Amino acid sequence: MATLLRGALRPLRAFPGSGRLAADVPLRATSHGAGILYPEHIPTSPLQKALLAAGSAVMALYDPYRHDMVAVLGETTGRRTLKFLRDQMKRDPEGAQILRERPRISTSTLDLGKLRSLPEGSFGCEYLRFLDVNRVSPDTRAPTRFVDDEELAYVIQRYREVHDMAHTLLGMPINIPGEIVVKWFEAVQTGLPMCILSALFGPIRLSARSLQVLVSELVPWAVQNGRRAPCLLNLYYERRWEQPLGALRQELGITEPPVRVEGLV
Amino acid sequence: MAAPRSWALWSLCGRGLSRVMPGCTIPGLRSSWPRSPLGARPLSQEKRATETHFGFETVSEEEKGGKVYQVFESVAKKYDVMNDMMSLGIHRVWKDLLLWKMHPFPGTQLLDVAGGTGLDWVLGDAEELPFDDDKFDVYTIAFGIRNVTHIDRALQEAHRVLKPGGRFLCLEFSQVNNPLVSRLYDVYSFQVIPVLGEIIAGDWKSYQYLVESIRQFPPQEEFKEMIEDAGFQKVTYENLTSGIVAIHSGFKL
């Protein structure tokens, strides 16, 4: 079920000139055609990246439901970390295969019928249940836009698409405490600045009780599991649907959560 | 299929006047006139294979109307917030100056094209207005004409629907006349505006289109000539904020 995703170079368009453009062309030469490395790519200057990083951080805090802002923050702050992640994927046999084949997770690439027919307790079945219960779809992941390297763009896209796998493996719902726990896990696993920032600042809006449970039990558990488990980016999930979730967790060294998260706000 | 060419939402103020802010949402078709119904004018089905600009992209003329429509659909919700953020509220001053220049009084038949909310509104095409000739005292268009596919046709239509003695007023982004201001304005336009669009409205591309379309619009003198070509006389313009915007004025005599 491997789907090939190759960063397609858009054919370079002739730069349209109307003859009345002023001497400010360098700032906008990359907006169309020139420098576009993959379909959704928007080339940005260092200043724009800095502004985007700062703005998206503020906006994500102000309105936690702006998931697109979290995505933008990840893309604009993650370059060095993404390189590191890509390199460690190359060193791992399963990770290297993922980089070569570039599987994507979306409703068009997943065989949902087949997943539904899988036995109870299998990873695929539990993943589907997670999607159904939380009423999310793998298609809600925004495409990468601000990463100026098409392989790294895939790496962050893959990270985003396997985020739901992390939820399933950790047994975390998609409410705010659940997301924070997953972010702590991912922060330890990937070192992405966006994960670290979300992990540190996400709890700001929580009630004191939730914060207490988070700090005393859930975060230490997440950190421990994050350290123990191999990098989740190196798992070819599409080949593991039939594997029982329990066995997969054991393979990765992921234990049951110490507390139920559903009741927290 | 009739491709929408230059859809513009406008309002007709029959009696007195209302300040019209171009907060465009495109609602359904509805019109209630304080006066007798105006003759309906069917849209023509002309199509051309020529190309034009959409910001810095090249698109077919047919496509442009649809693409502009999509931009405004996309920005509609956060339109006023974004205008305030991008111009730090200065767009309100520009619009105030336009109204001041107009010196309207009760009874003025005003047509504001690409106008947004108003008393009575009609959905239509700036290049083919559904109004009879010689109808209005004043025709205004603020930050709208830049998005029209065939500006010359919009100007001709403006001329047609104005009464003799009527005035055409256009408030639009133009070319900056000061080199320092120009440089700062360019940096602000291309570095900051699309970022603001992304952060506030989650929409980089529409705001990239905005700043590019400003650069594609004719400078003050050239636009003045276009207005004269449409039959207007005593055409003048006034720069505001170093030419970031300009108000062009002409009369149908």
Side-chain angles (χ1 to χ4, degrees):
Chain A
M1 201 201 295
T3 308
L4 290 172
L5 169 76
R6 291 281 161 217
L9 278 172
R10 219 189 249 166
L12 292 177
R13 293 211 190 108
F15 190 70
S18 66
R20 65 175 72 83
L21 302 177
D24 51 359
V25 172
L27 294 173
R28 44 195 168 140
T30 54
S31 68
H32 298 288
I36 296 197
L37 303 169
Y38 48 91
E40 295 289 332
H41 185 208
I42 298 176
T44 42
S45 67
L47 173 60
Q48 285 176 319
K49 287 199 177 66
L51 292 173
L52 278 170
S56 62
V58 170
M59 191 52 99
L61 266 181
Y62 174 73
D63 182 356
Y65 293 99
R66 287 289 301 271
H67 300 296
D68 61 321
M69 288 292 100
V70 178
V72 169
L73 182 62
E75 289 172 34
T76 51
T77 55
R79 187 171 176 86
R80 193 180 300 164
T81 315
L82 286 174
K83 276 190 181 154
F84 175 78
L85 284 173
R86 185 264 313 268
D87 293 343
Q88 69 86 35
M89 278 173 86
K90 274 194 172 147
R91 288 193 294 270
D92 179 281
E94 211 170 329
Q97 197 172 29
I98 293 169
L99 278 179
R100 274 196 308 273
E101 294 176 13
R102 299 206 183 169
R104 295 293 303 274
I105 299 175
S106 70
T107 48
S108 51
T109 56
L110 294 177
D111 187 346
L112 290 174
K114 181 178 165 218
L115 285 180
R116 271 190 218 297
S117 68
L118 287 172
E120 184 82 14
S122 64
F123 173 59
C125 174
E126 294 304 308
Y127 168 65
L128 261 190
R129 177 173 296 145
F130 166 81
L131 292 180
D132 287 340
V133 162
N134 290 283
R135 283 193 282 230
V136 289
S137 135
D139 295 334
T140 53
R141 302 284 157 212
T144 312
R145 283 171 302 156
F146 302 114
V147 175
D148 296 332
D149 177 308
E150 55 102 32
E151 189 174 36
L152 298 182
Y154 174 73
V155 172
I156 202 169
Q157 189 76 49
R158 181 73 181 168
Y159 154 77
R160 236 170 247 168
E161 290 178 2
V162 305
H163 176 77
D164 291 339
M165 310 297 172
H167 271 278
T168 307
L169 287 168
L170 294 172
M172 288 290 127
I174 60 167
N175 57 16
I176 295 185
E179 288 293 349
I180 292 171
V181 173
V182 177
K183 276 288 176 289
W184 273 94
F185 178 85
E186 288 176 339
V188 168
Q189 285 244 311
T190 64
L192 282 168
M194 174 267 286
C195 296
I196 296 171
L197 287 169
S198 303
L200 289 174
F201 291 100
I204 278 176
R205 290 169 164 261
L206 290 179
S207 67
R209 187 180 83 83
S210 301
L211 206 54
Q212 211 250 329
V213 173
L214 209 65
V215 168
S216 60
E217 306 212 44
L218 287 167
V219 167
W221 169 79
V223 170
Q224 206 177 44
N225 281 273
R227 281 197 162 132
R228 189 165 47 219
C231 185
L232 289 205
L233 285 174
N234 290 334
L235 291 181
Y236 211 132
Y237 297 97
E238 293 86 338
R239 305 238 164 106
R240 293 170 176 266
W241 298 131
E242 287 101 351
Q243 192 174 1
L245 180 56
L248 181 54
R249 279 178 174 154
Q250 208 168 31
E251 181 186 330
L252 301 175
I254 291 177
T255 57
E256 290 284 321
V259 173
R260 277 189 65 78
V261 181
E262 278 77 357
L264 297 177
V265 288
Chain B
M1 178 185 99
R5 279 171 301 166
S6 306
W7 292 106
L9 178 66
W10 65 77
S11 57
L12 165 65
C13 304
R15 218 175 265 290
L17 53 85
S18 72
R19 169 156 334 162
V20 179
M21 293 289 284
C24 298
T25 53
I26 317 274
L29 196 59
R30 190 193 90 187
S31 64
S32 59
W33 303 105
R35 306 255 183 275
S36 55
L38 304 162
R41 302 173 70 88
L43 287 177
S44 58
Q45 302 283 319
E46 237 178 40
K47 285 176 166 49
R48 294 217 197 133
T50 44
E51 292 193 319
T52 183
H53 49 76
F54 176 72
F56 292 159
E57 268 184 74
T58 306
V59 300
S60 74
E61 285 190 343
E62 250 200 355
E63 275 184 280
K64 176 157 179 177
K67 287 179 88 89
V68 170
Y69 182 94
Q70 277 168 12
V71 166
F72 284 94
E73 274 276 290
S74 181
V75 302
K77 268 198 190 124
K78 301 251 168 124
Y79 192 74
D80 292 322
V81 168
M82 280 300 299
N83 283 347
D84 280 329
M85 295 292 300
M86 290 190 289
S87 70
L88 304 171
I90 298 173
H91 72 110
R92 297 171 187 270
V93 175
W94 293 331
K95 288 160 188 166
D96 278 351
L97 285 168
L98 177 69
L99 280 175
W100 188 88
K101 209 173 168 79
M102 203 190 297
H103 287 305
F105 48 84
T108 301
Q109 294 278 308
L110 166 68
L111 176 67
D112 180 48
V113 177
T117 57
L119 292 173
D120 299 295
W121 38 264
V122 168
L123 184 64
D125 186 333
E127 297 181 17
E128 256 193 82
L129 296 172
F131 302 113
D132 286 336
D133 302 4
D134 305 326
K135 199 79 193 114
F136 298 101
D137 297 308
V138 184
Y139 171 113
T140 56
I141 184 166
F143 302 117
I145 205 159
R146 194 181 76 248
N147 300 298
V148 166
T149 307
H150 302 106
I151 296 174
D152 54 342
R153 289 189 209 165
L155 292 171
Q156 281 159 21
E157 279 293 276
H159 191 266
R160 182 180 66 75
V161 303
L162 277 170
K163 293 178 189 169
R167 189 176 195 183
F168 166 85
L169 279 167
C170 172
L171 172 67
E172 188 52 84
F173 287 109
S174 200
Q175 307 295 325
V176 175
N177 46 32
N178 174 314
L180 174 63
V181 174
S182 178
R183 181 86 189 128
L184 290 172
Y185 179 54
D186 283 343
V187 171
Y188 181 70
S189 294
F190 287 95
Q191 298 296 307
V192 177
I193 297 244
V195 172
L196 275 180
E198 179 63 31
I199 303 291
I200 297 173
D203 188 353
W204 176 287
K205 297 214 155 140
S206 293
Y207 291 91
Q208 183 75 36
Y209 163 74
L210 163 69
V211 295
E212 290 179 0
S213 67
I214 290 174
R215 296 326 183 276
Q216 296 288 50
F217 189 71
Q220 287 87 327
E221 276 298 321
E222 194 178 322
F223 187 48
K224 172 174 176 248
E225 282 164 28
M226 290 171 76
I227 298 171
E228 285 166 344
D229 287 344
F232 290 100
Q233 292 173 48
K234 302 259 186 263
V235 180
T236 58
Y237 63 84
E238 184 188 336
N239 282 330
L240 305 176
T241 323
S242 297
I244 293 179
V245 303
I247 299 178
H248 280 74
S249 161
F251 290 90
K252 173 174 178 174
L253 296 175

